[in-house]
Amino acid sequence: MPEFPTTSSAPSRRAVLGLAGSTAVLSACAADGAPTTGSTGGTAPVDAGSVGDLPVGSAVKVDQDGVQAVVSRPDAETVVAFSPVCPHQGCMVAPQEELYVCPCHSSQFDLTTGEVLSGPAETGLEPYPASVAGGRILLG
Ligand code: FES
């Protein structure tokens, strides 16, 4: 079973992580943080792995089956997700410590609300549909 990073893990550990065995892969955006194709996903929710593998207070980036999202678990019962597309100029944010951070111009966003904490972005991350069913994280 893959191990999720905690918010205190080094960012490099978040670069590529398996969420649900070999079929789910979390990946970072382009190495330079350049914009990649943002996605709102398909019509059917994507199983992004076991909620038990996402420790409370941590976050991961999901890039699976056409869904790109950043997902955090603020408490034992809740999973929240956001589009990873930075509202400033479209780079892809990533979890870093207790924030989502944009690699292009260093905007920072709250891990559980997506609100912008520091610019140059002026607005927060767009919420992405997320739920938990049967112990699985469903996106979309
Ligand atoms: Fe994210 Fe500029 S594109 S801060």
Side-chain angles (χ1 to χ4, degrees), residues 50-115:
S50 171
V51 70
D53 290 339
L54 182 61
V56 171
S58 68
V60 294
K61 193 167 187 173
V62 174
D63 186 352
Q64 175 189 337
D65 298 334
V67 169
Q68 291 184 321
V70 285
V71 183
S72 68
R73 188 174 179 202
D75 58 51
E77 288 80 36
T78 310
V79 170
V80 294
F82 304 93
S83 165
V85 178
C86 179
H88 179 232
Q89 291 182 357
C91 292
M92 304 299 272
V93 304
Q96 196 171 91
E97 300 302 327
E98 297 180 0
L99 305 167
Y100 295 120
V101 177
C102 180
C104 292
H105 310 104
S106 303
S107 286
Q108 298 181 342
F109 305 88
D110 186 277
L111 203 66
T112 59
T113 67
E115 293 178 8

